[in-house]
Amino acid sequence: GSEMCIRDRPYNGPEVIARFAALLDYIAAQTPNLRLTSLAIGNEIDGVLANHADAWVQYTAFFEQSAAHARSLWPGLPIGVKVMFQGARTYPAYIRPLWEASDAIMLTYYPLHDDFTVQPPEVVTADFAEMVALAQGKPVYLLEAGYPSSEVCNSSEEMQAEFVRRVFRAWDAHADDIALISFSWLSDLSPKAGRDFQAYYGLEEPAFGEYLRTLGLRTWPGAGEDKAAFLTLQAEAHARGW
């Protein structure tokens, strides 16, 4: 048939770009009343592109053309690409051309050690200052910010709440530079969902599964109960008139 597999084509191959443009057209047609805050073309791409210089060049070309098409569909909408904060630190030369073609610097932020145990919440202050410096004047969109509460990750509900508290303090310090923060996520996952994620990512470490499972601001199961972090989020937002 006419269906074509694009899995093995380069990111900047014309068929890949055309297929993605068609996807954007379809999304726009199906969601005429959807109000977007931003559009990220690619999620945590540094995890895939890593140290492959050619792939970064290909993806940058793909992004430039795809972003132009997205702007034609959603005029005025900030368009960018999500990278991990750690990746932004690790691959600045590769990422810089993408950021030059972006309206905003879009990051995900989970302050963890390599073994998926938590860094202390105190790191937030310096990390936010570094994010703003990396952005070089463009607005920062923190599209994922999260902190697990599991003891397996050397954390606790109180440390998670302290993370939320410090994020708001750091946001105050950089209010003109950070346009949006989205906390991940509202409710914890079920134990099965945590294991499913481990299988999906191919990572056996229990701390990895518990990191993802306990990012929620409320507990599992059912309706869930508020964790300390959710109450902190409510209080901090209310204090700022939200």
Side-chain angles (χ1 to χ4, degrees), residues 3 15-16 22 35-36 43 45 47 56 86 93 99 108 127 163 165-166 180 197 206 210 215 222-223:
E3 285 302 307
E15 40 307 79
V16 176
R35 185 178 167 212
L36 300 174
N43 179 53
I45 62 166
W56 282 99
Q86 191 56 46
W99 281 352
T108 67
D127 285 351
F163 169 77
R165 199 172 292 118
R166 286 181 178 271
L180 179 148
F197 267 122
E210 283 294 279
L215 281 172

Side-chain angles (χ1 to χ4, degrees), residues 83-123:
V83 299
M84 294 180 258
F85 173 56
Q86 191 56 46
R89 292 167 139 172
T90 307
Y91 308 113
Y94 292 153
I95 292 171
R96 185 61 54 194
L98 276 167
W99 281 352
E100 288 172 1
S102 298
D103 302 305
I105 305 310
M106 298 178 177
L107 299 171
T108 67
Y109 180 55
Y110 303 96
L112 304 170
H113 297 295
D114 289 343
D115 63 357
F116 302 105
T117 59
V118 295
Q119 296 179 21
E122 290 78 11
V123 301

Side-chain angles (χ1 to χ4, degrees), residues 4-233:
M4 172 180 54
C5 179
I6 60 172
R7 181 187 296 276
D8 299 320
R9 307 291 171 96
Y11 294 114
N12 59 342
E15 40 307 79
V16 176
I17 290 169
R19 184 73 66 84
F20 190 72
L23 173 64
L24 291 178
D25 289 342
Y26 179 79
I27 292 169
Q30 296 298 311
T31 57
N33 301 315
L34 184 65
R35 185 178 167 212
L36 300 174
T37 63
S38 53
L39 176 67
I41 297 176
N43 179 53
E44 296 189 333
I45 62 166
D46 49 302
V48 175
L49 301 181
N51 216 12
H52 307 297
D54 291 348
W56 282 99
V57 171
Q58 292 173 13
Y59 198 90
T60 301
F62 161 78
F63 174 77
E64 288 171 351
Q65 293 192 51
S66 298
H69 189 74
R71 290 185 184 104
S72 74
L73 295 169
W74 294 282
L77 184 69
I79 310 293
V81 54
K82 267 203 271 184
V83 299
M84 294 180 258
F85 173 56
Q86 191 56 46
R89 292 167 139 172
T90 307
Y91 308 113
Y94 292 153
I95 292 171
R96 185 61 54 194
L98 276 167
W99 281 352
E100 288 172 1
S102 298
D103 302 305
I105 305 310
M106 298 178 177
L107 299 171
T108 67
Y109 180 55
Y110 303 96
L112 304 170
H113 297 295
D114 289 343
D115 63 357
F116 302 105
T117 59
V118 295
Q119 296 179 21
E122 290 78 11
V123 301
V124 168
T125 306
D127 285 351
F128 270 50
E130 187 176 346
M131 289 174 198
V132 170
L134 285 167
Q136 296 185 359
K138 288 194 174 180
V140 173
Y141 279 60
L142 210 52
L143 293 178
E144 298 176 31
Y147 197 94
S149 61
S150 172
E151 293 179 5
V152 177
C153 302
N154 293 344
S155 188
S156 65
E157 287 199 19
E158 185 42 55
M159 287 174 69
Q160 185 189 41
E162 182 63 19
F163 169 77
V164 172
R165 199 172 292 118
R166 286 181 178 271
V167 164
F168 273 94
R169 298 287 186 279
W171 197 1
D172 288 342
H174 302 283
D176 293 339
D177 298 297
I178 300 175
L180 179 148
I181 298 178
S182 175
F183 285 97
S184 308
W185 34 52
L186 181 58
S187 298
D188 282 346
L189 302 175
S190 68
K192 180 184 183 303
R195 292 191 298 271
D196 288 347
F197 267 122
Q198 278 182 279
Y200 172 77
Y201 285 105
L203 291 166
E204 296 300 319
E205 295 97 325
F208 177 73
E210 283 294 279
Y211 142 59
L212 290 175
R213 190 183 71 77
T214 65
L215 281 172
L217 303 175
R218 307 184 80 232
T219 61
W220 182 90
E225 297 176 358
D226 297 340
K227 291 174 18 182
F230 186 78
L231 300 175
T232 300
L233 175 64

